[in-house]
Amino acid sequence: MTHSAADDKPPPHADRRMLPADPTSEEARLRYELPPAGPRVQHVRRHLPPTLLAEPRVIKAVRRIEQDLPHDHQLAELARANGLSPFHFHRLFAEVMGEAMSGFIRRQRLDAAAIRLAASELSMLEIGTVAGYGSLAAFSRAFQRQFGVAPTVYRPAARAAVRPPVPEQLAMADRVRLERWEIRPLVGLRFHGGYDQAECYWARFADEVRLRLGLDPDTLECYALIRDNPLITPQGLIRYDCCFADPGLPEKLPAPFARLPPMQISRCATLLLEAPYRKVFAAYRAIANVWTARHGEHFAEAPAMERYHAPPWRRMGQVQSFSIMVMLI
């Protein structure tokens, strides 16, 4: 997505509530108390999902849903795969995640639609179809229920909420490299919460690797999978996967570890960072808002990744060594 000086001002019909009051301060903390392009309505939930997702049957269902989000996953299908009745699986999923499975699927689809509205030129109908809706009217109604505004209003407002690149990000974009990477099979843990807690997730990850797997975490090739845009997804619902390349573990893994669905060899925009983790938002902006526009590239429908060149749990609050990898079409 490109920006000019005119982008500093929202369009006349943009929802100005989507503009953060102090974006510089919030971005420095890696935490938006109210995501600038997120829902403008309060949704009733039983509770937020757990910081570490540990229920193996829910982990299995979540991974299956995320592997093919447009697919119309049926409660009975996922319940049967976990050896439960639909009633008991529905209750288990809601107790663990704080929302029904149908609500989880709908929210993920509409969050992905919001990203496409903000970052692509696809039509409303095309975005609604990809999100699994059979008509523009059905998509518009569902989107407005989740975000509080119609998609036609949301698109310009969300773009206005993205700040133009600053000199630091322009300099970072000069260091981005186009690479082709063979993605190895990954094993991971699912965390929920903000990016301000990422180093804490890695510390917990290292403890779980020692305790559950009997491995030395310092010897593992570690990655984070990034699935949510913090400008859109509320803080407590952001998903963060701490992963490692499978060194040849037995097929059956102890919970909360799970194998991630296989990913294909991919072209990616890669940016090496030797910096505190708080610079990660600036780095993603350098790729998304500057480098892609310069080179006419477009994102693939795949998670972004962070590849760690040194154990992140050994450098908490210090300079981290990692590469950001954004998959491209």
Side-chain angles (χ1 to χ4, degrees), residues 120-131:
S120 80
E121 299 305 324
L122 293 174
S123 70
M124 302 288 173
L125 180 58
E126 289 173 310
I127 292 172
T129 300
V130 172

